[in-house]
Amino acid sequence: MSTAPPSARPAGRLPRRLLQLYAGLALYGASSALLVRAGLGLGPWDVFHQGLAEHTGWTIGTVSVAVGALVLLLWWPLRQRPGLGTVSNVFAVGLSMDATLAAVPDVHGVPAQAGALAAGVVLNGVATGLYITAAFGPGPRDGLMTGLHRRTGRSVRLVRTGIELTVLAAGFLLGGSVGLGTVLYALAIGPLAQFFLRVFALPGAAGRDRPASVPPYAAEGRSLVIAGSGPPERHGGGR
């Protein structure tokens, strides 16, 4: 049971939490679209989504929705319980991604590509901070990670590494974009997300290691694992 006074609990700020959730999910999709337009490489899951899109003829956002729904089905045997944020994540990110891709033209030239890449990575960190601190439950991919962690007894870092390297390799083989952007994303998203988790934390007493409004799965489950680039307490930008 929480010992925090009602005024310090996230549940007492429902309008702000809902705003953070949906703003964060929309921004996550938009930032992912900027990485696609930059053409310099994507994060692991979007490499996979892009590779599938190449073979299905679907948009990358539609593939993201379909993959998110399939991953959510894997929660059943893991006895994971989805929240509003989980279900919203499945649909909102992909829809926002497709809408942004429709509005933003292709980027040409190294300076413009570098600018789109930097903007995408930073905005992805902002989005991660927004929707995690809303505390409506993990995204389907994060829930898969934490569920496997609990069922197998393996460390979060090991489970996350295994999942992300698997989808990255599969996406690359399917034709997804792997490059400088993939490396930059892996190195930068942990520190950026951790910074914005504190920026957007709901007011109230904060623990020593994380803001009061950050749910336990965020502190335990969002470690940056690609290339071993951060300690377990750093929060990554997966979904």
Side-chain angles (χ1 to χ4, degrees):
M1 178 179 294
S2 173
T3 58
S7 61
R9 295 177 189 168
R13 295 172 172 80
L14 184 59
R16 173 174 168 175
R17 290 174 62 211
L18 287 170
L19 177 62
Q20 286 192 197
L21 171 65
Y22 290 108
L25 294 177
L27 189 56
Y28 199 106
S31 66
S32 297
L34 288 178
L35 295 178
V36 173
R37 287 292 183 239
L40 296 174
L42 306 174
W45 277 101
D46 281 332
V47 171
F48 182 59
H49 298 152
Q50 188 181 55
L52 284 176
E54 292 287 335
H55 290 269
T56 61
W58 297 354
T59 66
I60 189 171
T62 300
V63 170
S64 175
V65 171
V67 170
L70 288 174
V71 170
L72 192 55
L73 291 178
L74 297 177
W75 281 35
W76 182 263
L78 296 174
R79 298 187 179 182
Q80 292 281 91
R81 298 179 63 181
L84 174 64
T86 309
V87 178
S88 298
N89 187 300
V90 171
F91 298 99
V93 173
L95 292 174
S96 173
M97 193 174 185
D98 276 350
T100 303
L101 286 170
V104 177
D106 289 333
V107 175
H108 302 287
V110 174
Q113 287 177 289
L117 173 61
V121 172
V122 172
L123 290 177
N124 197 277
V126 173
T128 300
L130 279 168
Y131 85 78
I132 288 181
T133 53
F136 278 109
R141 296 156 184 84
D142 281 333
L144 174 64
M145 173 191 64
T146 53
L148 287 172
H149 158 65
R150 284 195 294 268
R151 291 298 295 269
T152 65
R154 303 292 184 180
S155 70
V156 167
R157 180 180 291 271
L158 180 61
V159 172
R160 178 119 188 184
T161 300
I163 292 173
E164 295 204 347
L165 289 180
T166 298
V167 297
L168 179 63
F172 176 73
L173 292 174
L174 289 168
S177 177
V178 177
L180 175 63
T182 308
V183 177
L184 178 63
Y185 183 92
L187 294 174
I189 194 61
L192 283 171
Q194 181 161 336
F195 173 75
F196 287 111
L197 282 167
R198 297 192 177 279
V199 169
F200 297 117
L202 298 176
R208 232 173 42 175
D209 299 321
R210 64 183 174 91
S213 62
V214 178
Y217 81 85
E220 297 170 2
R222 305 193 63 83
S223 57
L224 182 63
V225 297
I226 298 299
S229 54
E233 66 271 16
R234 287 191 176 178
H235 307 290
R239 285 182 269 153

